[in-house]
Protein backbone atom coordinates (compact mmCIF):
# COMPACT_ATOMS: atom_id res chain seq x y z
CA UNK A 1 0.00 0.00 0.00
CA UNK A 2 2.67 2.51 1.03
CA UNK A 3 4.82 1.15 -1.75
CA UNK A 4 2.08 1.93 -4.28
CA UNK A 5 1.42 5.44 -2.96
CA UNK A 6 5.12 6.21 -2.94
CA UNK A 7 5.72 5.02 -6.49
CA UNK A 8 2.61 6.84 -7.79
CA UNK A 9 3.56 10.15 -6.20
CA UNK A 10 7.11 10.03 -7.48
CA UNK A 11 6.34 8.86 -11.02
CA UNK A 12 3.36 11.17 -11.46
CA UNK A 13 5.43 14.08 -10.20
CA UNK A 14 8.24 13.41 -12.68
CA UNK A 15 5.84 12.89 -15.62
CA UNK A 16 3.84 16.06 -14.89
CA UNK A 17 7.03 18.06 -14.50
CA UNK A 18 8.34 16.73 -17.83
CA UNK A 19 5.09 17.55 -19.64
CA UNK A 20 5.02 21.06 -18.16
CA UNK A 21 8.64 21.63 -19.14
CA UNK A 22 9.40 22.07 -15.47
CA UNK A 23 11.85 19.20 -15.05
CA UNK A 24 14.36 21.26 -13.04
CA UNK A 25 11.83 21.41 -10.23
CA UNK A 26 12.10 17.65 -9.68
CA UNK A 27 15.78 17.74 -8.78
CA UNK A 28 15.42 20.76 -6.52
CA UNK A 29 12.33 19.36 -4.82
CA UNK A 30 13.90 15.95 -4.22
CA UNK A 31 16.96 17.45 -2.58
CA UNK A 32 14.85 19.87 -0.56
CA UNK A 33 12.64 17.05 0.67
CA UNK A 34 15.66 15.01 1.74
CA UNK A 35 17.18 17.98 3.50
CA UNK A 36 13.97 18.68 5.37
CA UNK A 37 13.70 15.06 6.51
CA UNK A 38 17.26 14.98 7.85
CA UNK A 39 16.81 18.34 9.60
CA UNK A 40 13.69 17.03 11.27
CA UNK A 41 15.31 13.78 12.38
CA UNK A 42 18.33 15.60 13.82
CA UNK A 43 16.02 18.03 15.59
CA UNK A 44 14.41 15.00 17.16
CA UNK A 45 17.69 13.87 18.75
CA UNK A 46 17.51 16.39 21.58
CA UNK A 47 13.91 15.83 22.69
CA UNK A 48 14.11 12.06 22.20
CA UNK A 49 17.20 11.81 24.38
CA UNK A 50 15.56 13.94 27.04
CA UNK A 51 12.25 12.06 27.14
CA UNK A 52 13.80 8.61 26.92
CA UNK A 53 15.85 9.52 29.99
CA UNK A 54 12.83 10.79 31.90
CA UNK A 55 10.73 7.79 30.90
CA UNK A 56 13.40 5.41 32.16
CA UNK A 57 13.32 7.17 35.53
CA UNK A 58 9.51 6.98 35.55
CA UNK A 59 9.64 3.29 34.71
CA UNK A 60 12.10 2.44 37.48
CA UNK A 61 10.05 4.45 39.97
CA UNK A 62 7.02 2.31 39.02
CA UNK A 63 5.07 5.25 37.60
CA UNK A 64 4.55 3.83 34.13
CA UNK A 65 3.04 0.66 35.58
CA UNK A 66 0.83 2.71 37.91
CA UNK A 67 -0.46 4.75 35.00
CA UNK A 68 -1.04 1.61 32.96
CA UNK A 69 -3.10 0.12 35.80
CA UNK A 70 -5.28 3.25 36.07
CA UNK A 71 -6.40 3.15 32.44
CA UNK A 72 -6.53 -0.64 32.12
CA UNK A 73 -10.30 -1.07 31.45
CA UNK A 74 -10.25 1.25 28.43
CA UNK A 75 -6.92 -0.01 27.17
CA UNK A 76 -7.80 -3.70 27.33
CA UNK A 77 -10.83 -2.91 25.16
CA UNK A 78 -8.75 -1.00 22.60
CA UNK A 79 -5.63 -3.15 22.77
CA UNK A 80 -6.61 -6.74 23.59
CA UNK A 81 -3.19 -8.02 22.49
CA UNK A 82 -1.18 -6.00 25.04
CA UNK A 83 -0.55 -7.82 28.36
CA UNK A 84 -1.83 -6.19 31.57
CA UNK A 85 0.38 -3.48 33.05
CA UNK A 86 2.77 -3.53 30.13
CA UNK A 87 4.94 -0.36 29.94
CA UNK A 88 3.61 0.39 26.45
CA UNK A 89 0.20 1.18 28.01
CA UNK A 90 1.73 4.01 30.03
CA UNK A 91 3.53 5.45 27.00
CA UNK A 92 0.41 5.20 24.82
CA UNK A 93 -1.74 6.99 27.36
CA UNK A 94 0.88 9.73 27.85
CA UNK A 95 1.15 10.20 24.08
CA UNK A 96 -2.62 10.55 23.71
CA UNK A 97 -2.81 12.99 26.64
CA UNK A 98 -0.03 15.10 25.13
CA UNK A 99 -1.92 15.10 21.83
CA UNK A 100 -5.14 16.19 23.51
CA UNK A 101 -3.36 19.09 25.21
CA UNK A 102 -1.55 19.97 21.98
CA UNK A 103 1.93 19.38 23.46
CA UNK A 104 3.71 18.43 20.25
CA UNK A 105 7.14 18.37 21.89
CA UNK A 106 6.10 15.69 24.34
CA UNK A 107 3.66 13.81 22.12
CA UNK A 108 6.19 12.65 19.52
CA UNK A 109 8.78 11.22 21.96
CA UNK A 110 6.03 9.48 23.95
CA UNK A 111 4.65 8.01 20.76
CA UNK A 112 8.06 6.72 19.68
CA UNK A 113 8.61 5.20 23.13
CA UNK A 114 5.22 3.50 22.84
CA UNK A 115 6.17 2.11 19.42
CA UNK A 116 9.44 0.79 20.83
CA UNK A 117 7.54 -1.03 23.59
CA UNK A 118 4.98 -2.37 21.11
CA UNK A 119 7.78 -3.67 18.91
CA UNK A 120 8.99 -5.77 21.87
CA UNK A 121 5.56 -7.43 21.86
CA UNK A 122 5.52 -7.92 18.09
CA UNK A 123 5.69 -11.67 17.73
CA UNK A 124 5.52 -11.69 13.93
CA UNK A 125 7.96 -10.28 11.40
CA UNK A 126 9.71 -7.26 13.00
CA UNK A 127 9.36 -5.34 9.72
CA UNK A 128 5.58 -5.75 9.68
CA UNK A 129 3.24 -3.67 11.82
CA UNK A 130 1.42 -5.48 14.63
CA UNK A 131 -2.30 -5.08 15.31
CA UNK A 132 -1.64 -3.02 18.43
CA UNK A 133 0.58 -0.65 16.42
CA UNK A 134 -2.14 -0.12 13.82
CA UNK A 135 -4.73 0.62 16.52
CA UNK A 136 -2.36 2.99 18.28
CA UNK A 137 -1.63 4.94 15.09
CA UNK A 138 -5.31 5.08 14.17
CA UNK A 139 -6.00 6.65 17.57
CA UNK A 140 -2.96 8.90 17.39
CA UNK A 141 -3.72 10.40 13.99
CA UNK A 142 -7.39 10.98 14.75
CA UNK A 143 -6.91 12.14 18.33
CA UNK A 144 -8.94 15.02 19.76
CA UNK A 145 -7.11 18.28 20.34
CA UNK A 146 -8.91 20.46 22.87
CA UNK A 147 -6.92 23.58 22.02
CA UNK A 148 -5.76 23.88 18.42
CA UNK A 149 -3.17 26.46 19.51
CA UNK A 150 -1.40 27.00 16.17
CA UNK A 151 -4.57 27.72 14.25
CA UNK A 152 -5.89 30.05 16.95
CA UNK A 153 -2.58 31.92 16.71
CA UNK A 154 -2.99 32.31 12.94
CA UNK A 155 -6.56 33.55 13.39
CA UNK A 156 -5.50 36.12 15.98
CA UNK A 157 -2.79 37.38 13.66
CA UNK A 158 -5.29 37.62 10.81
CA UNK A 159 -7.44 39.91 12.95
CA UNK A 160 -10.30 37.53 13.73
CA UNK A 161 -13.09 38.96 15.91
CA UNK A 162 -13.55 35.61 17.61
CA UNK A 163 -10.43 33.47 17.12
CA UNK A 164 -11.63 30.61 19.32
CA UNK A 165 -15.05 30.14 17.72
CA UNK A 166 -13.70 27.18 15.72
CA UNK A 167 -12.94 25.12 18.85
CA UNK A 168 -16.42 23.65 19.00
CA UNK A 169 -16.54 22.67 15.34
CA UNK A 170 -13.02 21.24 15.58
CA UNK A 171 -13.93 19.05 18.55
CA UNK A 172 -17.04 17.81 16.73
CA UNK A 173 -15.13 16.92 13.55
CA UNK A 174 -12.25 15.31 15.41
CA UNK A 175 -14.63 13.24 17.56
CA UNK A 176 -16.25 11.92 14.36
CA UNK A 177 -12.89 10.99 12.88
CA UNK A 178 -11.77 9.29 16.10
CA UNK A 179 -14.88 7.12 16.25
CA UNK A 180 -14.51 6.16 12.59
CA UNK A 181 -10.80 5.41 13.07
CA UNK A 182 -11.54 2.97 15.91
CA UNK A 183 -14.34 1.27 13.97
CA UNK A 184 -12.37 1.01 10.71
CA UNK A 185 -9.40 -0.35 12.63
CA UNK A 186 -11.58 -3.06 14.16
CA UNK A 187 -13.13 -4.00 10.82
CA UNK A 188 -9.81 -4.11 8.97
CA UNK A 189 -8.22 -6.13 11.74
CA UNK A 190 -10.97 -8.72 11.35
CA UNK A 191 -10.69 -8.77 7.56
CA UNK A 192 -6.94 -9.02 7.71
CA UNK A 193 -7.05 -11.88 10.18
CA UNK A 194 -9.52 -13.94 8.19
CA UNK A 195 -8.05 -13.39 4.73
CA UNK A 196 -4.36 -12.93 5.44
CA UNK A 197 -4.29 -10.25 2.78
CA UNK A 198 -1.00 -8.78 1.68
CA UNK A 199 -0.84 -5.20 0.51
CA UNK B 1 -13.34 29.71 31.28
CA UNK B 2 -12.83 26.15 30.04
CA UNK B 3 -10.32 27.45 27.52
CA UNK B 4 -8.31 29.09 30.29
CA UNK B 5 -8.30 25.91 32.35
CA UNK B 6 -7.10 23.82 29.44
CA UNK B 7 -4.31 26.21 28.49
CA UNK B 8 -3.30 26.35 32.15
CA UNK B 9 -3.17 22.55 32.21
CA UNK B 10 -1.06 22.56 29.06
CA UNK B 11 1.39 25.04 30.60
CA UNK B 12 1.75 23.10 33.85
CA UNK B 13 1.67 19.56 32.45
CA UNK B 14 5.34 19.04 31.63
CA UNK B 15 6.89 20.84 34.62
CA UNK B 16 4.66 18.92 37.03
CA UNK B 17 5.35 15.58 35.28
CA UNK B 18 9.07 16.26 35.61
CA UNK B 19 8.67 17.23 39.25
CA UNK B 20 6.64 14.22 40.33
CA UNK B 21 8.63 11.64 38.39
CA UNK B 22 11.90 12.88 39.84
CA UNK B 23 10.51 13.17 43.36
CA UNK B 24 8.83 9.76 43.35
CA UNK B 25 11.90 8.05 41.89
CA UNK B 26 14.10 9.67 44.52
CA UNK B 27 11.80 8.69 47.38
CA UNK B 28 11.73 5.13 46.07
CA UNK B 29 15.53 5.05 46.15
CA UNK B 30 16.01 4.84 42.40
CA UNK B 31 19.37 6.21 41.29
CA UNK B 32 17.66 8.93 39.28
CA UNK B 33 20.71 10.27 37.51
CA UNK B 34 21.95 6.87 36.41
CA UNK B 35 18.54 5.75 35.15
CA UNK B 36 18.19 8.95 33.17
CA UNK B 37 21.54 8.39 31.45
CA UNK B 38 20.70 4.75 30.79
CA UNK B 39 17.40 5.62 29.12
CA UNK B 40 18.82 8.60 27.24
CA UNK B 41 21.47 6.41 25.58
CA UNK B 42 18.97 5.33 22.96
CA UNK B 43 17.86 8.84 22.03
CA UNK B 44 20.32 9.40 19.24
CA UNK B 45 19.80 6.04 17.58
CA UNK B 46 16.01 6.34 17.72
CA UNK B 47 16.09 9.71 15.99
CA UNK B 48 18.69 8.74 13.39
CA UNK B 49 16.89 5.51 12.54
CA UNK B 50 13.97 7.53 11.16
CA UNK B 51 16.13 9.31 8.55
CA UNK B 52 15.81 6.85 5.61
CA UNK B 53 12.05 6.59 6.11
CA UNK B 54 11.53 10.34 6.37
CA UNK B 55 13.78 11.07 3.40
CA UNK B 56 11.88 8.58 1.24
CA UNK B 57 8.50 10.06 2.13
CA UNK B 58 9.50 13.69 1.86
CA UNK B 59 11.29 13.33 -1.45
CA UNK B 60 8.14 11.82 -2.96
CA UNK B 61 5.80 14.41 -1.44
CA UNK B 62 8.12 17.26 -2.35
CA UNK B 63 8.39 16.14 -6.01
CA UNK B 64 4.62 15.54 -6.18
CA UNK B 65 3.95 19.09 -5.01
CA UNK B 66 6.65 21.04 -6.81
CA UNK B 67 6.02 19.39 -10.19
CA UNK B 68 2.42 20.60 -10.28
CA UNK B 69 1.07 17.04 -10.08
CA UNK B 70 -0.82 17.89 -6.92
CA UNK B 71 -2.56 20.86 -8.56
CA UNK B 72 -3.51 18.62 -11.45
CA UNK B 73 -4.91 16.07 -9.05
CA UNK B 74 -6.94 18.75 -7.25
CA UNK B 75 -8.33 20.06 -10.57
CA UNK B 76 -9.36 16.55 -11.58
CA UNK B 77 -11.33 15.77 -8.43
CA UNK B 78 -12.80 19.23 -7.74
CA UNK B 79 -15.90 18.79 -9.98
CA UNK B 80 -16.84 15.64 -8.07
CA UNK B 81 -16.40 17.19 -4.63
CA UNK B 82 -18.14 20.39 -5.72
CA UNK B 83 -21.19 18.25 -6.41
CA UNK B 84 -21.30 17.34 -2.71
CA UNK B 85 -21.18 20.97 -1.57
CA UNK B 86 -17.50 21.05 -0.76
CA UNK B 87 -16.01 24.39 -1.86
CA UNK B 88 -13.27 23.98 -4.48
CA UNK B 89 -10.98 26.39 -2.62
CA UNK B 90 -10.77 24.06 0.36
CA UNK B 91 -9.82 20.96 -1.61
CA UNK B 92 -6.05 21.57 -1.85
CA UNK B 93 -6.02 21.77 1.93
CA UNK B 94 -7.87 18.47 2.25
CA UNK B 95 -5.38 16.74 0.00
CA UNK B 96 -2.29 18.38 1.47
CA UNK B 97 -3.28 17.76 5.08
CA UNK B 98 -2.34 14.05 5.39
CA UNK B 99 0.89 14.59 3.44
CA UNK B 100 2.58 17.62 4.89
CA UNK B 101 1.88 19.54 8.09
CA UNK B 102 3.88 22.58 7.05
CA UNK B 103 2.33 22.62 3.58
CA UNK B 104 -1.19 22.38 4.97
CA UNK B 105 -0.54 25.13 7.48
CA UNK B 106 0.73 27.30 4.61
CA UNK B 107 -2.50 26.73 2.65
CA UNK B 108 -4.64 27.47 5.72
CA UNK B 109 -2.75 30.68 6.45
CA UNK B 110 -3.15 31.67 2.79
CA UNK B 111 -6.91 30.96 2.78
CA UNK B 112 -7.36 32.96 5.97
CA UNK B 113 -5.35 35.83 4.54
CA UNK B 114 -7.24 35.92 1.24
CA UNK B 115 -10.79 35.32 2.50
CA UNK B 116 -10.49 36.59 6.08
CA UNK B 117 -10.42 34.64 9.35
CA UNK B 118 -14.14 35.20 9.97
CA UNK B 119 -15.32 34.22 6.50
CA UNK B 120 -16.92 30.83 5.91
CA UNK B 121 -13.81 29.53 4.15
CA UNK B 122 -11.56 30.88 6.89
CA UNK B 123 -13.56 29.12 9.57
CA UNK B 124 -13.79 25.91 7.56
CA UNK B 125 -10.03 25.90 6.91
CA UNK B 126 -9.37 26.49 10.62
CA UNK B 127 -11.67 23.64 11.63
CA UNK B 128 -10.10 21.31 9.07
CA UNK B 129 -6.61 22.18 10.18
CA UNK B 130 -7.43 21.32 13.78
CA UNK B 131 -9.42 18.16 13.21
CA UNK B 132 -7.22 16.22 10.80
CA UNK B 133 -3.64 15.05 11.04
CA UNK B 134 -0.55 14.60 8.90
CA UNK B 135 -1.22 10.87 8.70
CA UNK B 136 1.57 9.97 6.29
CA UNK B 137 4.13 11.86 8.29
CA UNK B 138 3.08 10.25 11.57
CA UNK B 139 3.05 6.76 10.04
CA UNK B 140 6.47 7.25 8.45
CA UNK B 141 8.01 8.64 11.61
CA UNK B 142 6.50 6.18 14.08
CA UNK B 143 7.05 3.06 12.01
CA UNK B 144 10.45 4.31 10.86
CA UNK B 145 11.73 4.65 14.43
CA UNK B 146 11.34 0.89 14.96
CA UNK B 147 12.27 -0.18 11.42
CA UNK B 148 8.81 -1.30 10.30
CA UNK B 149 8.30 -0.95 6.53
CA UNK B 150 5.08 -2.96 6.05
CA UNK B 151 2.27 -0.84 7.46
CA UNK B 152 -0.54 -3.30 6.76
CA UNK B 153 -3.93 -1.61 7.14
CA UNK B 154 -2.65 1.38 9.15
CA UNK B 155 -2.77 3.60 6.04
CA UNK B 156 -6.43 2.76 5.44
CA UNK B 157 -7.59 3.48 8.97
CA UNK B 158 -5.52 6.67 9.13
CA UNK B 159 -6.86 7.95 5.83
CA UNK B 160 -10.44 7.00 6.63
CA UNK B 161 -10.08 9.10 9.80
CA UNK B 162 -8.82 12.03 7.74
CA UNK B 163 -11.61 11.73 5.19
CA UNK B 164 -14.17 11.55 8.01
CA UNK B 165 -12.59 14.60 9.64
CA UNK B 166 -12.81 16.45 6.34
CA UNK B 167 -16.46 15.56 5.68
CA UNK B 168 -17.43 16.21 9.30
CA UNK B 169 -15.72 19.63 9.18
CA UNK B 170 -17.57 20.63 6.01
CA UNK B 171 -20.84 19.38 7.50
CA UNK B 172 -20.55 21.08 10.90
CA UNK B 173 -19.27 24.36 9.40
CA UNK B 174 -22.20 24.40 7.00
CA UNK B 175 -24.53 23.90 9.97
CA UNK B 176 -22.94 26.39 12.35
CA UNK B 177 -21.40 29.13 10.22
CA UNK B 178 -23.68 29.32 7.16
Amino acid sequence: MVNLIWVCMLLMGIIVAAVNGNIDAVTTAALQGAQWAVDFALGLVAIMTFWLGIMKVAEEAGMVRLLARLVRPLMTFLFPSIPRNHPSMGAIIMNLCANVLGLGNAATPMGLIAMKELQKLNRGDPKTASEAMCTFLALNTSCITIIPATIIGIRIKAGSVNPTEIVGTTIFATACSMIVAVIVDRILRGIYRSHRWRW
Amino acid sequence: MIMNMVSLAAKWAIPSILFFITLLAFVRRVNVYESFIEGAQEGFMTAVKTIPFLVAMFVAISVFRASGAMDLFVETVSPVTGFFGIPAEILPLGIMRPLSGGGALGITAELIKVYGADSFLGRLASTLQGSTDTTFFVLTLYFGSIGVSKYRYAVFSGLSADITGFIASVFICNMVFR
Side-chain angles (χ1 to χ4, degrees), chain A residues 131-143:
Chain A
E131 287 172 355
M133 290 174 192
C134 291
T135 309
F136 172 50
L137 283 171
L139 279 176
N140 178 299
T141 55
S142 63
C143 191

PDB file of all heavy atoms in Angstrom, chain A residues 131-143:
ATOM      1  N   GLU A 131      -0.936  -5.614  15.180  1.00  0.00           N
ATOM      2  CA  GLU A 131      -2.297  -5.081  15.311  1.00  0.00           C
ATOM      3  C   GLU A 131      -2.352  -3.922  16.298  1.00  0.00           C
ATOM      4  O   GLU A 131      -3.014  -2.921  16.062  1.00  0.00           O
ATOM      5  CB  GLU A 131      -3.244  -6.197  15.758  1.00  0.00           C
ATOM      6  CG  GLU A 131      -3.535  -7.184  14.646  1.00  0.00           C
ATOM      7  CD  GLU A 131      -4.304  -8.385  15.127  1.00  0.00           C
ATOM      8  OE1 GLU A 131      -4.545  -8.517  16.340  1.00  0.00           O
ATOM      9  OE2 GLU A 131      -4.667  -9.208  14.266  1.00  0.00           O
ATOM     10  N   ALA A 132      -1.632  -4.077  17.413  1.00  0.00           N
ATOM     11  CA  ALA A 132      -1.639  -3.022  18.426  1.00  0.00           C
ATOM     12  C   ALA A 132      -1.059  -1.726  17.860  1.00  0.00           C
ATOM     13  O   ALA A 132      -1.552  -0.633  18.142  1.00  0.00           O
ATOM     14  CB  ALA A 132      -0.852  -3.469  19.653  1.00  0.00           C
ATOM     15  N   MET A 133      -0.013  -1.845  17.020  1.00  0.00           N
ATOM     16  CA  MET A 133       0.579  -0.647  16.421  1.00  0.00           C
ATOM     17  C   MET A 133      -0.423   0.060  15.521  1.00  0.00           C
ATOM     18  O   MET A 133      -0.532   1.288  15.528  1.00  0.00           O
ATOM     19  CB  MET A 133       1.801  -1.017  15.578  1.00  0.00           C
ATOM     20  CG  MET A 133       2.989  -1.474  16.379  1.00  0.00           C
ATOM     21  SD  MET A 133       4.272  -2.024  15.240  1.00  0.00           S
ATOM     22  CE  MET A 133       5.373  -2.837  16.375  1.00  0.00           C
ATOM     23  N   CYS A 134      -1.153  -0.718  14.722  1.00  0.00           N
ATOM     24  CA  CYS A 134      -2.144  -0.121  13.815  1.00  0.00           C
ATOM     25  C   CYS A 134      -3.225   0.615  14.612  1.00  0.00           C
ATOM     26  O   CYS A 134      -3.602   1.736  14.275  1.00  0.00           O
ATOM     27  CB  CYS A 134      -2.786  -1.186  12.933  1.00  0.00           C
ATOM     28  SG  CYS A 134      -1.643  -1.875  11.731  1.00  0.00           S
ATOM     29  N   THR A 135      -3.711  -0.020  15.698  1.00  0.00           N
ATOM     30  CA  THR A 135      -4.728   0.625  16.525  1.00  0.00           C
ATOM     31  C   THR A 135      -4.180   1.906  17.139  1.00  0.00           C
ATOM     32  O   THR A 135      -4.843   2.943  17.137  1.00  0.00           O
ATOM     33  CB  THR A 135      -5.187  -0.324  17.654  1.00  0.00           C
ATOM     34  OG1 THR A 135      -5.527  -1.578  17.087  1.00  0.00           O
ATOM     35  CG2 THR A 135      -6.358   0.253  18.400  1.00  0.00           C
ATOM     36  N   PHE A 136      -2.964   1.826  17.656  1.00  0.00           N
ATOM     37  CA  PHE A 136      -2.358   2.992  18.283  1.00  0.00           C
ATOM     38  C   PHE A 136      -2.241   4.150  17.292  1.00  0.00           C
ATOM     39  O   PHE A 136      -2.593   5.294  17.601  1.00  0.00           O
ATOM     40  CB  PHE A 136      -0.981   2.636  18.855  1.00  0.00           C
ATOM     41  CG  PHE A 136      -0.213   3.817  19.359  1.00  0.00           C
ATOM     42  CD1 PHE A 136      -0.795   4.728  20.220  1.00  0.00           C
ATOM     43  CD2 PHE A 136       1.101   4.027  18.960  1.00  0.00           C
ATOM     44  CE1 PHE A 136      -0.082   5.841  20.676  1.00  0.00           C
ATOM     45  CE2 PHE A 136       1.812   5.120  19.417  1.00  0.00           C
ATOM     46  CZ  PHE A 136       1.220   6.024  20.268  1.00  0.00           C
ATOM     47  N   LEU A 137      -1.794   3.865  16.072  1.00  0.00           N
ATOM     48  CA  LEU A 137      -1.626   4.939  15.092  1.00  0.00           C
ATOM     49  C   LEU A 137      -2.971   5.478  14.615  1.00  0.00           C
ATOM     50  O   LEU A 137      -3.097   6.666  14.349  1.00  0.00           O
ATOM     51  CB  LEU A 137      -0.769   4.464  13.928  1.00  0.00           C
ATOM     52  CG  LEU A 137       0.701   4.453  14.325  1.00  0.00           C
ATOM     53  CD1 LEU A 137       1.558   3.785  13.279  1.00  0.00           C
ATOM     54  CD2 LEU A 137       1.200   5.863  14.571  1.00  0.00           C
ATOM     55  N   ALA A 138      -3.977   4.600  14.532  1.00  0.00           N
ATOM     56  CA  ALA A 138      -5.314   5.084  14.170  1.00  0.00           C
ATOM     57  C   ALA A 138      -5.801   6.079  15.215  1.00  0.00           C
ATOM     58  O   ALA A 138      -6.337   7.143  14.884  1.00  0.00           O
ATOM     59  CB  ALA A 138      -6.284   3.915  14.045  1.00  0.00           C
ATOM     60  N   LEU A 139      -5.599   5.747  16.489  1.00  0.00           N
ATOM     61  CA  LEU A 139      -5.997   6.654  17.568  1.00  0.00           C
ATOM     62  C   LEU A 139      -5.179   7.931  17.531  1.00  0.00           C
ATOM     63  O   LEU A 139      -5.694   9.040  17.658  1.00  0.00           O
ATOM     64  CB  LEU A 139      -5.761   5.990  18.931  1.00  0.00           C
ATOM     65  CG  LEU A 139      -6.808   5.010  19.409  1.00  0.00           C
ATOM     66  CD1 LEU A 139      -6.348   4.395  20.719  1.00  0.00           C
ATOM     67  CD2 LEU A 139      -8.128   5.724  19.620  1.00  0.00           C
ATOM     68  N   ASN A 140      -3.877   7.765  17.355  1.00  0.00           N
ATOM     69  CA  ASN A 140      -2.963   8.896  17.395  1.00  0.00           C
ATOM     70  C   ASN A 140      -3.277   9.923  16.312  1.00  0.00           C
ATOM     71  O   ASN A 140      -3.337  11.121  16.568  1.00  0.00           O
ATOM     72  CB  ASN A 140      -1.533   8.368  17.253  1.00  0.00           C
ATOM     73  CG  ASN A 140      -0.507   9.468  17.229  1.00  0.00           C
ATOM     74  OD1 ASN A 140      -0.530  10.311  16.343  1.00  0.00           O
ATOM     75  ND2 ASN A 140       0.380   9.489  18.193  1.00  0.00           N
ATOM     76  N   THR A 141      -3.510   9.445  15.076  1.00  0.00           N
ATOM     77  CA  THR A 141      -3.717  10.403  13.990  1.00  0.00           C
ATOM     78  C   THR A 141      -5.114  11.013  14.004  1.00  0.00           C
ATOM     79  O   THR A 141      -5.353  12.016  13.345  1.00  0.00           O
ATOM     80  CB  THR A 141      -3.489   9.754  12.609  1.00  0.00           C
ATOM     81  OG1 THR A 141      -4.322   8.607  12.495  1.00  0.00           O
ATOM     82  CG2 THR A 141      -2.056   9.352  12.412  1.00  0.00           C
ATOM     83  N   SER A 142      -6.038  10.418  14.744  1.00  0.00           N
ATOM     84  CA  SER A 142      -7.385  10.975  14.752  1.00  0.00           C
ATOM     85  C   SER A 142      -7.706  11.631  16.088  1.00  0.00           C
ATOM     86  O   SER A 142      -8.832  12.052  16.331  1.00  0.00           O
ATOM     87  CB  SER A 142      -8.405   9.867  14.483  1.00  0.00           C
ATOM     88  OG  SER A 142      -8.350   8.917  15.515  1.00  0.00           O
ATOM     89  N   CYS A 143      -6.698  11.737  16.941  1.00  0.00           N
ATOM     90  CA  CYS A 143      -6.908  12.136  18.331  1.00  0.00           C
ATOM     91  C   CYS A 143      -7.477  13.555  18.472  1.00  0.00           C
ATOM     92  O   CYS A 143      -7.157  14.456  17.708  1.00  0.00           O
ATOM     93  CB  CYS A 143      -5.576  12.058  19.059  1.00  0.00           C
ATOM     94  SG  CYS A 143      -5.727  12.220  20.795  1.00  0.00           S
TER      95      CYS A 143
END
